Amino acid sequence: MEMTASNTEPTTSKPRTRTVLKLYFLLTTIAGIIGTLVSLGGFLYAIGKKLIITNDEYIVAERYYELDICSNTYSKAVPGNPNAMATPTEAEIAKCKADKKVTLIEARNALFKEDMLSGGIWSLLFLILLFTHYPRFMRLNKKPE
């Protein structure tokens, strides 16, 4: 503590860089905590969604319109009549729907894997951020006894 000439109150001199460093470690720790929670939430949501919602429920809820396309009439190339329309037979509709279901389930599995990769990588990055900055933040804020 030093005494100043203008007033008789003692002043303490704290280095400004220490408070800036404390603020930096505080903000990165908070970002690490929030980022980890959000990315783990997305990760767990994707797992829960895959476990709870069956493939048939997924198709009905999310992508049923793709199965309806199989029942639509389509253009048929007929010599002399370029605008000829044809209605698919029951066998064609059943085959189309079966093929679409396989495709939709494969697409769902691919999206699930993407969600797992994304959630896992972001969780790992935020955990690294948290575990590298939080101990330093605590060391800077440790009060001498």
Side-chain angles (χ1 to χ4, degrees):
M1 287 197 197
E2 47 181 76
M3 303 291 265
T4 59
S6 63
N7 66 16
T8 57
E9 295 181 21
T11 60
T12 58
S13 59
K14 288 186 178 179
R16 185 149 179 85
T17 50
R18 190 166 174 93
T19 56
V20 172
L21 205 56
K22 280 183 183 181
L23 182 63
Y24 167 76
F25 285 124
L26 172 69
L27 292 176
T28 53
T29 299
I30 290 171
I33 291 169
I34 292 171
T36 301
L37 290 174
V38 169
S39 57
L40 281 176
F43 188 75
L44 293 174
Y45 175 76
I47 291 172
K49 192 167 118 175
K50 177 72 172 177
L51 292 175
I52 294 171
I53 299 173
T54 65
N55 288 333
D56 290 334
E57 291 170 336
Y58 168 77
I59 290 170
V60 169
E62 300 282 331
R63 311 281 290 270
Y64 192 75
Y65 63 91
E66 292 192 33
L67 293 180
D68 277 345
I69 292 172
C70 294
S71 303
N72 293 347
T73 57
Y74 56 92
S75 297
K76 186 174 186 178
V78 176
N81 188 0
N83 297 327
M85 301 298 284
T87 303
T89 64
E90 290 299 319
E92 290 174 329
I93 292 172
K95 183 181 181 328
C96 177
K97 284 186 177 184
D99 292 343
K100 285 280 187 191
K101 277 188 177 184
V102 169
T103 303
L104 292 173
I105 291 169
E106 288 174 357
R108 181 184 188 203
N109 290 336
L111 287 173
F112 174 71
K113 290 175 184 177
E114 285 180 8
D115 290 344
M116 291 294 95
L117 281 172
S118 175
I121 290 170
W122 281 110
S123 295
L124 181 66
L125 290 175
F126 279 114
L127 281 171
I128 290 170
L129 179 74
L130 178 64
F131 288 137
T132 57
H133 287 81
Y134 180 71
R136 292 180 184 160
F137 172 69
M138 291 308 290
R139 264 186 266 139
L140 274 177
N141 285 329
K142 191 174 188 180
K143 294 181 181 172
E145 295 179 25

